[in-house]
Structure formats: C-alpha cells, structure tokens
Amino acid sequence: DGWIAVRQWFQYTDATYGREPGSVWEQTILFRDGLRYFLSADKITSVNSVAQLTLRIDMPGHLKHRAGNSFEQIYLSYGGTLPAAAFLEDFPPHARHLYQRDDTAIPELMIRAYQVRLESAVGPWLAGITLEPGVVSEAWCHQRGYVCFIEEIGGRPVAAGESFGAAYAVGWFNGIEEMCATAEEHKGAIGLGLNRMPKLV
C-alpha cells in the first residue's frame, strides 16, 4: 500500500580498452503516494579491475529551450543560482559551472535543478538530488543547444567483482528550501533496498 517500485538491469555485451564484457548495471525506482518526486538508485558491478570507473547519467535531465524561453533559472547547490540569460550562447563544460570532486571539500548537498517558466504563476523546480554528495566525481552544466546536465558518479578504483553506485531524489519541488530539506532527510544514502518495505541504504 502506498508505493510501487520498478527494478531493471542490463549486462553489458561490449567493453573497451581490452576489458572483458559482462559488467552489470542495475536500477531501482520507487514511487510513493502523495509525493511529487521519486527515489532511485543505480548500481554497477564490474567484471574488471579499473583505476577510475564512472557511470555517466543525466541529472535531472537535459534542459531544452530556445533563448531561455522555458526556464527562469538554474540552481546548483555547489554554485548558486544562474539566470536563464546565462545560457543564451553555447559554451563547453570546462568553461563554466563545472564541478570536479575535491575530497578535501565535498559539498554538503548535491542538488541540480531548474525552475520552469509559467506565464500565469511562479513555476516549480525540477530537481535531481544525489543523496551522497561524495559519490559524484564530476558534474557539468553547460550550453550546447540545450543545457547539459551530465553527472558522473564513481571515479574511484574498482576491483573485479566489486560494485559502486548512488541514490537520488528526482522530481518537482516548490522551491530551493524544499529541495534542501529532502536532501537532508535522505542524506548519505547510496542504494535502495526492496524487501517488504522500501528502504534507502
């Protein structure tokens, strides 16, 4: 009662740099009644030993627009708010707003969001919250015909047979304060277990 979950997975059939195929990606997504956001988790189990293994995702998803017509502003918890006007011309990832992990200064929260533009009211925010900030190795927020929200998790040594992953809250929020409260509520989670009741782990 009150929730439904989806589990999916894929075993990679190709590999690069002379590595063995067969690593497994798993994802669990949890939808709960009465909430405008869902919880999800990704997990990679590697069949190879890799010095810096990453999983690349879009978080909360790329933002399509024409000269900033579809959004008011962007919020990066590690970089503040950015107006739509800052994304009128293309620029590469390394030019602006690039997050690269520094283990001596992990941010308290990892939130990336944008406020949609509505004609008749203040628009809500679509946010992607990575619940354990330390798992994010790099995060982009650049313009290339759309705002690119690529995020990479992992980026640390992984031995054959080992796993790494991350957990997220993704969805709609009324404001930055609500996003931050949700991030704090679930802070530190890197997985999502499903037994009789769902539980972040």
Side-chain angles (χ1 to χ4, degrees):
D1 289 340
W3 62 277
I4 188 169
V6 177
R7 298 192 72 177
Q8 55 188 344
W9 55 91
F10 178 77
Q11 186 167 28
Y12 292 97
T13 57
D14 297 303
T16 57
Y17 303 109
R19 297 174 183 145
E20 294 295 322
S23 297
V24 176
W25 165 78
E26 301 172 73
Q27 184 180 65
T28 304
I29 307 174
L30 173 66
F31 302 94
R32 296 176 293 169
D33 287 350
L35 295 179
R36 295 193 298 167
Y37 69 88
F38 61 87
L39 297 172
S40 70
D42 288 314
K43 178 181 175 183
I44 293 287
T45 302
S46 178
V47 298
N48 300 281
S49 294
V50 183
Q52 283 188 312
L53 190 58
T54 61
L55 174 65
R56 179 175 290 182
I57 60 174
D58 301 332
M59 183 60 66
H62 294 336
L63 170 55
K64 294 181 180 181
H65 68 98
R66 292 183 180 178
N69 66 331
S70 62
F71 70 106
E72 297 286 350
Q73 56 186 329
I74 285 173
Y75 172 68
L76 306 173
S77 58
Y78 50 86
T81 56
L82 308 166
F87 296 88
L88 300 184
E89 297 181 0
D90 287 356
F91 59 90
H94 60 273
R96 302 176 219 164
H97 321 306
L98 175 63
Y99 170 83
Q100 293 179 305
R101 182 173 56 210
D102 176 354
D103 284 328
T104 66
I106 300 294
E108 286 294 313
L109 303 175
M110 179 58 66
I111 303 172
R112 290 140 59 75
Y114 62 88
Q115 184 182 26
V116 298
R117 178 168 293 167
L118 299 179
E119 292 183 2
S120 59
V122 176
W125 293 77
L126 181 63
I129 304 169
T130 305
L131 302 177
E132 172 46 64
V135 303
V136 179
S137 60
E138 193 163 285
W140 309 349
C141 182
H142 67 284
Q143 171 68 24
R144 52 179 300 176
Y146 55 86
V147 180
C148 179
F149 274 114
I150 283 177
E151 179 176 297
E152 293 186 341
I153 63 171
R156 300 190 188 279
V158 175
E162 289 185 342
S163 301
F164 72 96
Y168 327 92
V170 184
W172 296 101
F173 297 86
N174 290 327
I176 294 174
E177 184 175 332
E178 186 180 1
M179 299 177 222
C180 292
T182 299
E184 289 286 0
E185 178 184 358
H186 303 299
K187 187 175 179 180
I190 58 170
L192 182 58
L194 295 177
N195 292 315
R196 292 186 178 181
M197 291 294 292
K199 182 181 179 181
L200 284 165
V201 293

